[in-house]
Amino acid sequence: MTTAIGDFLTGAQGDRSGALSVLNDILGPLPAPDEPSMLEHRAQEQGMLPLIRTWQERDNTSVADESTIHALFKPAELQRFSSQTGLSERAAMNILRDLLPSAIRHRAINARAGWQQQQMARTDATTGQQVAGE
């Protein structure tokens, strides 16, 4: 009860400041071609990879349910999220449920943009070498 009152008074239920940074830190590097992310590996083990792919491909996905969060994150990671954001475990869970699908979508978009830039740089380098060699 005290935690719920504290979360209400501090606005913790709606506070997203810092939560995304902590989440990205826990999730680790962005996925890369032929190098699945930590989350993709865990989702594969849990039979949840199609859900992750849906989140990666579509905007406006629904919130994750609590069982999904528990399946994809270790208890120590959930505790870390809670402590680093300063949120109660309940508030942290509510924010994760809401934040995770959109965070996965944005991480996939950022990863693809990075891949495209790398491919363009390789193409430019190859083209530059061909022009210099002609």
Side-chain angles (χ1 to χ4, degrees):
M1 180 70 157
T2 303
T3 300
I5 292 170
D7 288 342
F8 175 76
L9 292 174
T10 62
Q13 295 290 342
D15 181 17
R16 301 296 189 263
S17 64
L20 185 57
S21 294
V22 175
L23 178 58
N24 278 317
D25 189 45
I26 291 169
L27 292 175
L30 294 175
D34 301 320
E35 295 178 27
S37 69
M38 172 273 296
L39 190 72
E40 290 170 327
H41 281 293
R42 288 187 188 169
Q44 179 70 37
E45 293 168 1
Q46 298 292 325
M48 301 174 110
L49 193 56
L51 175 63
I52 298 300
R53 295 291 184 240
T54 298
W55 289 347
Q56 288 172 332
E57 298 298 325
R58 296 187 191 141
D59 280 328
N60 301 320
T61 58
S62 60
V63 298
D65 60 37
E66 196 167 323
S67 63
T68 298
I69 299 298
H70 285 293
L72 296 175
F73 292 94
K74 295 178 180 178
E77 292 166 334
L78 294 174
Q79 178 59 41
R80 178 179 162 198
F81 184 84
S82 176
S83 66
Q84 288 187 355
T85 58
L87 300 171
S88 69
E89 290 182 22
R90 174 60 29 214
M93 177 58 73
N94 288 338
I95 287 176
L96 275 173
R97 290 182 61 224
D98 186 48
L99 192 59
L100 185 63
S102 61
I104 289 173
R105 170 73 172 148
H106 289 287
R107 288 171 57 88
I109 290 168
N110 290 336
R112 284 186 205 114
W115 304 333
Q116 290 171 345
Q117 287 177 346
Q118 287 176 357
Q119 289 174 338
M120 288 173 43
R122 286 187 200 122
T123 301
D124 289 346
T126 302
T127 302
Q129 289 174 355
Q130 290 174 349
V131 170
E134 292 179 339

